Amino acid sequence: MRWEKAVADGLAPGVSHAFGIFDKTLCGIQEAGMSPSDHSWLPEREDACGACREAASLIDSRWPRSMRSEDARVSVARRL
């Protein structure tokens, strides 16, 4: 499972969230100006949000096995 880390001024420090769609984290947090970072969000990291981890696991389990490799990365298109 590989996702991009969500970045926004309003996110609590010390917890990393996965950027989803509609400017929300996978766990549903929405902050003004939220965007995906250039860094990966990894569910196995100690600071990973538990709810984002659960959502990522569910979503990733629906992808074909070939898309779940170590190098696979979910990327949400950035708006210009």
Side-chain angles (χ1 to χ4, degrees), residues 9-79:
D9 290 337
L11 290 174
V15 179
S16 67
H17 294 275
F19 188 82
I21 58 172
F22 306 117
D23 297 332
K24 292 183 181 181
T25 64
L26 290 183
C27 66
I29 297 172
Q30 187 170 19
E31 292 287 337
M34 185 180 298
S35 66
S37 76
D38 292 331
H39 303 286
S40 296
W41 175 85
L42 303 173
E44 59 270 11
R45 287 195 178 150
E46 200 171 296
D47 69 344
C49 168
C52 283
R53 186 181 293 131
E54 288 179 28
S57 179
L58 177 64
I59 293 166
D60 289 351
S61 72
R62 296 176 181 169
W63 283 80
R65 187 155 305 282
S66 63
M67 299 294 289
R68 295 187 232 162
S69 70
E70 187 71 24
D71 297 326
R73 183 173 180 186
V74 175
S75 180
V76 178
R78 295 172 193 240
R79 286 185 236 152

